[in-house]
Amino acid sequence: MAKLSPIESEFESTEAAEAYNAWFRARIEPRLASNTPGIPHDEAMARVQAILDRRKVR
């Protein structure tokens, strides 16, 4: 197990970095390969703003 410097990496070891990379690819690659239409930026930002506004009221 190679120890990584916190200046060079957020992971403590190469194994941790490789495990995260495998997890990330497993989550993201199917979405990138999907043919479903994406959400326009303006709509996505409106959804985020609505969530933030609801949380401010509490």
Side-chain angles (χ1 to χ4, degrees):
M1 176 167 87
K3 189 161 175 84
L4 299 175
S5 165
I7 294 172
E8 298 170 0
S9 176
E10 64 186 271
F11 301 103
E12 292 185 14
S13 68
T14 54
E15 288 82 4
E18 290 168 0
Y20 175 80
N21 190 32
W23 171 85
F24 183 79
R25 288 182 182 279
R27 291 280 303 216
I28 300 303
E29 285 179 349
R31 287 168 175 79
L32 291 174
S34 173
N35 290 332
T36 58
I39 300 172
H41 181 263
D42 293 340
E43 183 180 338
M45 294 309 295
R47 289 181 187 185
V48 170
Q49 190 60 53
I51 292 168
L52 293 173
D53 292 342
R54 281 195 309 267
R55 292 185 184 241
K56 282 182 187 176
V57 175
R58 293 181 184 179

